Amino acid sequence: MTQDMERRRRWRLVLGGAEADGLGGDGEGTPLKLSALDRRMDDALGGLYDAAGPRRGGLGASAPRVARWLADLREFFPADVVRVLQADAIERLDLQQLLFEPEMLDGVEPDVNLVGTLLTLKGVMPQRARDAARAVVRRVVDDLTRRLEEPTRAAVTGSLSRAQRNFRPRPAEIDWARTIRANLKTYQPDRNTVIPERLVGHGRRRRSLRDIVLCLDQSGSMASSVVYAGVFGAVLASLPAVTTRVVVFDTAVADLSEHLDDPVDVLYGIQLGGGTDINRALAYCQGVIQRPEQTVMVLISDLFEGGNEREMLARARALKDSGVQLIALLALSDDGAPSYDHGVARALAGMGIPAFACTPDHFPGLMAAAIRGDDVGSWAGEQGLVVRGGGVG
């Protein structure tokens, strides 16, 4: 096939072959002939993107037909393209009902957005589809855990190691290797001795070095953020040097900390959708924080308050003034620029509480910076994350 014919073939598959597409096989109006494989690909794309009509409704006829359609997509396109096509199908063709069918769930390419959709629908999903849906959620969670666990563990553990050093240690607490390295300049050759001007210690071991609270807005717009936060919460809970609590809220508050040994259980404890009462969630967190100066609290929310905004801001200030390192994440996802309440973000920024969106890949570094006690707003700026508030964003 000539280069020109291949280009026409590709445009034919993109445009769909309608009479007005202007494509001819030889440039003179002769219809472009598609191979049997191309016709199958054209049918798969046409079922999703053709104008409303008989073909548009055809995908919804039965779950087996959709399952075959999904299999065709996986054959023709790479996984990242398949996920985009699936998301378009759910939106354009109203396929939520077909997610209730095990045959379809067995055939989808799982991703974070699909998990969010399944969690939103889990309350109305028939029993026959629940096991298949949970298996899809498990596949995504396991994949995210493999990708995110080691960077999180390494970043947080390294920061805790630096944070726990004690420069006025008791004799039993002296870290001799670090002490010697820190004092090599005082080495006395004639005495073959290092005179330690500064002692470096391990510090006394406590129940935990830091307390971490993830406070998650479970309104429907935060679905992807909730999925990632559930995975991170479980990873953080596996680190013995930190105590981790996960609190979710809409107009009510639920503490899911007892489920952190399994992130799937955390996600299934979340009820996506509904209203938002950030003030009530902050009030609950105030009541369970026991060591404010050793606590990092991450509020993951778009900041659209459905309760008492003035009281919510006063509570946020009280948390910060008590010593809690409070951070507002407008999103924890790769979904792009989030929608959020600019006025509340500016108010938080005025209190010294940074507010910005964060990608999952940046989250381990964020937690490391917070544990070290760094200026998190400055850290975010250095990473190219736009800090909201103060008229920015």
Side-chain angles (χ1 to χ4, degrees):
M1 182 181 291
T2 66
Q3 184 175 3
D4 180 66
M5 289 292 289
E6 172 62 13
R7 185 163 51 247
R8 289 175 177 275
R9 167 187 167 272
R10 288 173 177 267
W11 275 112
R12 163 64 182 78
L13 291 171
V14 169
L15 296 174
E19 293 182 1
D21 67 12
L23 293 176
D26 57 6
E28 298 179 358
T30 304
L32 182 67
K33 293 183 179 180
L34 297 178
S35 68
L37 185 64
D38 285 343
R39 286 196 298 272
R40 288 179 58 207
M41 187 183 301
D42 185 48
D43 287 342
L45 292 172
L48 174 56
Y49 293 113
D50 276 359
R55 294 180 72 180
R56 178 180 174 86
L59 274 181
S62 67
R65 180 171 182 179
V66 175
R68 289 194 297 272
W69 174 69
L70 288 169
D72 286 343
L73 292 183
R74 292 199 305 276
E75 177 182 348
F76 299 137
F77 304 104
D80 56 343
V81 175
V82 172
R83 286 192 286 268
V84 172
L85 295 175
Q86 285 177 176
D88 282 353
I90 290 170
E91 177 181 354
R92 293 167 63 93
L93 303 177
D94 193 24
L95 295 186
Q96 283 90 342
Q97 282 295 325
L98 287 172
L99 292 177
F100 295 172
E101 301 292 341
E103 295 89 345
M104 181 174 179
L105 288 170
D106 289 340
V108 296
E109 185 71 31
D111 69 347
V112 169
N113 292 318
L114 179 60
V115 168
T117 300
L118 294 176
L119 294 177
T120 301
L121 299 172
K122 72 179 189 296
V124 295
M125 189 173 288
Q127 185 63 46
R128 68 180 182 275
R130 290 179 184 174
D131 289 343
R134 194 176 181 96
V136 171
V137 174
R138 172 69 66 187
R139 287 163 63 189
V140 173
V141 165
D142 287 348
D143 179 66
L144 291 177
T145 301
R146 283 191 294 271
R147 176 163 70 90
L148 301 173
E149 181 174 21
E150 186 52 39
T152 303
R153 187 178 296 274
V156 171
T157 301
S159 292
L160 286 168
S161 177
R162 288 189 289 277
Q164 74 182 33
R165 293 181 190 175
N166 179 5
F167 294 102
R168 300 181 64 182
R170 299 176 182 180
E173 298 168 351
I174 296 174
D175 184 333
W176 288 108
R178 285 199 179 102
T179 296
I180 290 171
R181 286 198 297 270
N183 292 278
L184 287 176
K185 64 181 181 180
T186 67
Y187 176 66
Q188 303 291 317
D190 55 329
R191 298 183 181 182
N192 197 29
T193 299
V194 171
I195 300 176
E197 294 180 344
R198 185 181 67 164
L199 299 177
V200 181
H202 296 288
R204 284 171 287 180
R205 299 288 179 179
R206 295 179 292 183
R207 174 176 56 86
S208 64
L209 294 168
R210 290 289 187 276
D211 297 335
I212 297 174
V213 179
L214 301 183
C215 187
L216 312 181
D217 181 344
Q218 59 182 358
S219 59
S221 61
M222 301 298 294
S224 296
S225 298
V226 164
V227 174
Y228 281 116
V231 172
F232 279 120
V235 171
L236 290 168
S238 71
L239 303 178
V242 299
T243 299
T244 303
R245 186 181 293 271
V246 171
V247 175
V248 301
F249 67 93
D250 43 31
T251 54
V253 179
D255 193 326
L256 303 181
S257 304
E258 65 182 36
H259 300 297
L260 286 175
D261 57 333
D262 186 346
V264 174
D265 286 343
V266 173
L267 295 178
Y268 267 80
I270 290 168
Q271 301 292 332
L272 284 169
T276 306
D277 193 336
I278 303 172
N279 180 49
R280 177 173 289 189
L282 295 184
Y284 177 85
C285 293
Q286 266 186 312
V288 298
I289 290 174
Q290 299 178 349
R291 302 187 303 163
E293 293 184 352
Q294 301 298 326
T295 298
V296 176
M297 179 175 169
V298 183
L299 171 64
I300 303 175
S301 173
D302 55 17
L303 303 180
F304 288 110
E305 173 63 308
N308 189 322
E309 181 178 309
R310 179 178 298 179
E311 190 172 323
M312 179 267 286
L313 291 172
R315 207 175 292 279
R317 182 184 293 277
L319 280 163
K320 184 178 187 303
D321 290 347
S322 71
V324 173
Q325 186 162 13
L326 180 57
I327 303 157
L329 286 190
L330 308 171
L332 176 57
S333 69
D334 292 309
D335 293 343
S339 173
Y340 66 98
D341 190 311
H342 290 246
V344 173
R346 282 193 294 269
L348 292 176
M351 303 176 196
I353 299 171
F356 55 93
C358 179
T359 67
D361 289 338
H362 278 108
F363 189 77
L366 164 64
M367 294 309 302
I371 287 170
R372 289 194 303 267
D374 295 350
D375 183 328
V376 171
S378 297
W379 172 88
E382 292 169 1
Q383 306 305 311
L385 304 174
V386 178
V387 182
R388 313 290 170 171
V392 179

